[in-house]
Amino acid sequence: MNLELSEEQEAVRRLAEDFVAREVAPHAVAWDRAEEVDRGIVKKLGAVGFLGLTIPEEYGGSGGDHLAYCLVTEELGRGDSSVRGIVSVSLGLVAKTVAAWGDEEQKRAWLPRLASGEAVGCFGLTEPGTGSDAGNLATRAVRDGDTYVIDGTKMFITNGTWADVVLLFARTGGPGHRGVSAFLVPADTPGLTRRPVHGKLGLRGQATAELVLEGVRVPASALLGPEGKGFSVAMSALAKGRMSVAAGCVGIAQAALDAAVRYAGEREQFGKPIASYQLVQELISDIAVDVDAARLLTWRVADLVDRGRDFATAASKAKLYASEAAVRSANNALQVFGGYGYIDEYPVGKLLRDARVMTLYEGTSQIQKLIIGRALTGVSAF
Ligand code: FAD
């Protein structure tokens, strides 16, 4: 693994940094307070090529490798996790999964639109009764001639109210994960209702929704991958998704470090900048080590993906470490800010609120530990 960025990768990183400085960072606090990111950001993300990264150019994508994707995701996470999540889901969980599992018609129908930002995708796996135990989902898709009729409820769906297409997981067979299939459901299909979820601790600008499906009829051609292989589709999506969450967490931790270093140099107590106190330096150095460790674990996943190697366990390690590191780092930065860290005019409170969900979604920290433990022992504890 080469730790030196290539000229191309450095150019993409700088492009993302400039984009965030111009289009994201100045608005992040206002979007957080309004509980709504300006939807215009999607087209801008598409125009600059960030929604098409790693997608082949013949399907409207912008190509690039997974390290470039992680660099962009980190910069977006550094600016605003709500915006980072739009890309991680619409590109990371939906478009990449269509590219990996879709037939020619599905790729032509959705990839150019998702890559340009003309369409937004969401990923419908979690249900009110099944989160960690996603293989036991209850949403049903019943075959009726050349169609499937889908009934069920999906919970906490990122981009849910914005989405044009739902990558939806439903039961077509018996109990357990072998009975699950994946579908590409246009969001305007009759019978699909979306209800916004408000009052989140963080990611307040992001459109999170409950999806209710009542007699939603889709053609059999909406099936993504073979019938009964939906759980494999979901797990392959989430393995890459965890790399993206990890990269976003590196961005949060880096933002916490930048803020803590800046503030520690400016703030004076006892007649000296607080940066001169050893205990404050300890807080800062703990963040710095977390940033480096989380970034290296994340880059390793990107490197494995780009070389076509097994990456699922490495992705769980990166996601586990980076998400916990993001929470720790934002919390340490808040400590450096003292009471001002607790007020939302300063950046670190939002970083902590946004970081907190990272140890929960795309598999909780406990689930990542079980995946890593299973890989090491050969025994599944869940
Ligand atoms: P539960 O599964 O009920 O877990 C509760 C607690 O029990 C956790 O601490 C968990 O680690 C622990 N636990 C459960 N089982 C075990 C076990 N076997 N061993 C040890 N501990 C265990 N889902 C989507 O499908 N698409 C999305 O776009 C999406 N976006 C989200 C956005 C937000 C803001 C949030 C909050 C959630 C989102 N989710 C999404 C759902 C998310 O993936 C789930 O919340 C997550 O998987 C956990 O499921 P749960 O909330 O039902 O918790």
Side-chain angles (χ1 to χ4, degrees):
M1 182 172 131
N2 189 355
L3 295 180
E4 192 92 342
L5 294 184
S6 69
E7 263 179 43
E8 253 180 25
Q9 288 161 339
E10 180 53 31
V12 171
R13 195 202 60 74
R14 219 170 310 113
L15 181 69
E17 191 177 34
D18 290 348
F19 179 88
V20 168
R22 229 181 27 251
E23 303 288 356
V24 179
H27 311 290
V29 169
W31 290 338
D32 184 63
R33 288 184 184 154
E35 284 200 50
E36 191 169 16
V37 169
D38 177 357
R39 236 198 121 139
I41 196 72
V42 176
K43 282 273 169 62
K44 290 177 184 171
L45 288 163
V48 75
F50 294 165
L51 286 167
L53 281 165
T54 76
I55 302 295
E57 287 169 21
E58 59 173 313
Y59 298 111
S62 31
D65 59 19
H66 284 81
L67 186 54
Y69 172 63
C70 284
L71 295 170
V72 170
T73 311
E74 177 184 328
E75 291 301 331
L76 293 173
R78 195 171 163 192
D80 184 17
S81 291
S82 288
V83 173
R84 193 277 303 161
I86 296 168
V87 176
S88 287
V89 173
S90 196
L91 165 61
L93 291 182
V94 180
K96 282 186 190 200
T97 311
V98 173
W101 290 84
D103 59 29
E104 195 54 27
E105 202 179 314
Q106 289 167 329
K107 288 189 208 173
R108 298 252 167 244
W110 290 112
L111 291 181
R113 296 183 62 203
L114 289 167
S116 66
E118 184 195 327
V120 171
C122 71
F123 184 82
L125 180 64
T126 303
E127 300 186 353
T130 53
S132 301
D133 190 13
N136 267 326
L137 57 82
T139 294
R140 272 225 154 264
V142 177
R143 183 93 191 209
D144 180 21
D146 282 344
T147 65
Y148 286 89
V149 181
I150 310 176
D151 288 276
T153 304
K154 296 290 172 182
M155 193 55 190
F156 296 137
I157 305 306
T158 302
N159 293 346
T161 48
W162 284 16
D164 300 280
V165 62
V166 187
L167 172 48
L168 186 94
F169 299 89
R171 187 164 301 287
T172 48
H177 61 85
R178 288 198 179 82
V180 175
S181 298
F183 295 88
L184 288 170
V185 181
D188 58 1
T189 310
L192 175 53
T193 315
R194 293 161 311 159
R195 298 185 186 134
V197 173
H198 287 300
K200 297 194 298 275
L201 178 66
L203 298 188
R204 287 193 185 151
Q206 202 167 77
T208 310
E210 180 184 18
L211 310 184
V212 180
L213 299 101
E214 293 166 308
V216 171
R217 191 177 288 274
V218 293
S221 59
L223 199 58
L224 183 72
E227 187 174 300
K229 282 281 176 207
F231 200 67
S232 302
V233 174
M235 291 306 112
S236 72
L238 287 174
K240 278 193 190 155
R242 286 168 188 148
M243 170 180 67
S244 173
V245 172
C249 289
V250 177
I252 292 176
Q254 180 68 58
L257 180 62
D258 298 343
V261 169
R262 205 170 40 243
Y263 189 78
E266 289 165 3
R267 176 72 173 169
E268 290 194 3
Q269 288 294 287
F270 303 97
K272 285 195 286 188
I274 59 171
S276 62
Y277 298 116
Q278 291 173 353
L279 295 178
V280 172
Q281 290 198 8
E282 181 186 46
L283 290 168
I284 289 173
S285 72
D286 283 353
I287 304 174
V289 174
D290 264 342
V291 169
D292 281 0
R295 186 179 284 129
L296 289 172
L297 284 168
T298 305
W299 284 14
R300 180 176 67 164
V301 186
D303 180 61
L304 290 170
V305 175
D306 285 332
R307 288 191 294 117
R309 304 280 292 276
D310 270 356
F311 64 90
T313 311
S316 283
K317 288 180 184 169
K319 197 270 182 184
L320 171 63
Y321 189 86
S323 61
E324 298 286 347
V327 175
R328 239 179 354 250
S329 298
N331 200 37
N332 281 336
L334 199 148
Q335 196 66 21
V336 172
F337 272 70
Y340 294 95
Y342 203 64
I343 308 293
D344 90 339
E345 261 168 57
Y346 292 83
V348 287
K350 177 175 180 299
L351 290 175
L352 181 58
R353 288 190 288 103
D354 286 348
R356 194 60 192 80
V357 77
M358 309 297 167
T359 70
L360 301 173
Y361 67 13
E362 300 208 21
T364 63
S365 288
Q366 287 73 29
I367 294 300
Q368 304 311 327
K369 288 177 184 174
L370 297 183
I371 293 171
I372 297 163
R374 182 179 59 190
L376 289 168
T377 64
V379 182
S380 177
F382 62 119

